[in-house]
Amino acid sequence: MADLPRCRRATWADVDGWADRVAAKVQERAATPTTIVGLTRGGWVPARLLADRLGVKRLVSLRAQHWGITATPTGAAEITEGLSGPIVGEHVLVVDDITDTGESLGLAVEHVRAKAPRRVESATFLHITRSKLEPTYYAEAIPRDAWVWVVFPWNYWEDLTTLAARAAAGTPGIDPVRATLLARCGLDVPRVDLERVARTVPLG
Ligand code: AMP
């Protein structure tokens, strides 16, 4: 995707609402899982919030890698670390934050299916409609032609650091970077946040 992509900053209030909505959909179908698999890293917070809302005690992790750097896919999606526990005979819900190409969740679901669970479903907070896999449950769809990079609260500093460094390569200096992030990405970043980023990467 674009070097400086259009972004949407998600708040913790958005996250709470998405978790409530997904949990309600699971409950409507009486499909409470016995194990939740959280994809690392983006799916960990959503998985934990859903475990709380659904009263699920067993949370297992699975590492899928695709978009290594903000808005930059790193080749094909891969499972780089297997499940942290067995899921034989379990009702499994595989959870991630967003399906974009859908490759990570697709691979994860396949990986889980091969480990003899009784049932596998999937859930994400957001679903971009270009994704090749539609999760069983999601809170909100983003139309493919409205693609944005979603800056989740659990990825804020990482995303901001990457985007600010890219902006600084063209227009160095904290205030010019701030103006570039607003104009190009649609991100209104407090100056103090960029001052913090500037302590770890040079912004000019
Ligand atoms: P994908 O395999 O393309 O469906 O994307 C997998 C992972 O990359 C997601 O779980 C996110 O952590 C991250 N990601 C991909 N696209 C986006 C996006 N548009 N906004 C924020 N994170 C994304």
Side-chain angles (χ1 to χ4, degrees):
M1 276 296 152
D3 195 30
L4 282 168
R6 294 306 293 175
C7 293
R8 166 176 166 191
R9 186 171 174 185
T11 64
W12 285 111
D14 294 327
V15 167
D16 249 342
W18 293 330
D20 284 343
R21 219 166 308 150
V22 171
K25 287 184 178 181
V26 173
Q27 281 161 338
E28 264 163 37
R29 302 234 305 232
T32 300
T34 53
T35 294
I36 289 181
V37 170
L39 298 196
T40 153
R41 293 175 293 159
W44 273 21
V45 175
R48 183 63 186 88
L49 295 177
L50 289 174
D52 183 32
R53 282 159 173 79
L54 296 171
V56 174
K57 302 284 183 220
R58 194 149 183 278
L59 194 48
V60 163
S61 121
L62 177 64
R63 185 173 189 206
Q65 279 180 282
H66 194 193
W67 298 69
I69 309 167
T70 300
T72 314
T74 47
E78 280 185 274
I79 299 291
T80 52
E81 281 169 43
L83 289 162
S84 62
I87 50 157
V88 178
E90 301 280 327
H91 288 188
V92 177
L93 184 66
V94 183
V95 176
D96 205 356
D97 47 5
I98 183 167
T99 29
D100 186 333
T101 64
E103 284 180 29
S104 308
L105 190 63
L107 262 187
V109 165
E110 249 175 60
H111 185 87
V112 165
R113 255 200 201 113
K115 307 285 177 193
R118 183 168 306 169
R119 185 186 71 208
V120 185
E121 293 190 316
S122 58
T124 58
F125 283 173
L126 301 175
H127 169 58
I128 302 184
T129 58
R130 70 175 187 161
S131 167
K132 57 171 79 151
L133 178 109
E134 182 174 329
T136 323
Y137 310 98
Y138 54 90
E140 194 182 312
I142 299 176
R144 61 166 65 225
D145 52 9
W147 185 96
V148 281
W149 183 261
V150 180
V151 179
F152 292 104
W154 46 86
N155 223 54
Y156 177 67
W157 292 104
E158 184 173 318
D159 284 341
L160 185 58
T161 302
T162 309
L163 297 171
R166 283 183 200 163
T171 53
I174 288 185
D175 290 316
V177 164
R178 196 161 169 250
T180 302
L181 293 179
L182 184 58
R184 300 275 304 277
C185 306
L187 281 181
D188 190 4
V189 179
R191 195 178 198 282
V192 56
D193 288 1
L194 289 173
E195 286 164 6
R196 183 157 150 188
V197 167
R199 283 186 228 128
T200 53
V201 292
L203 296 182

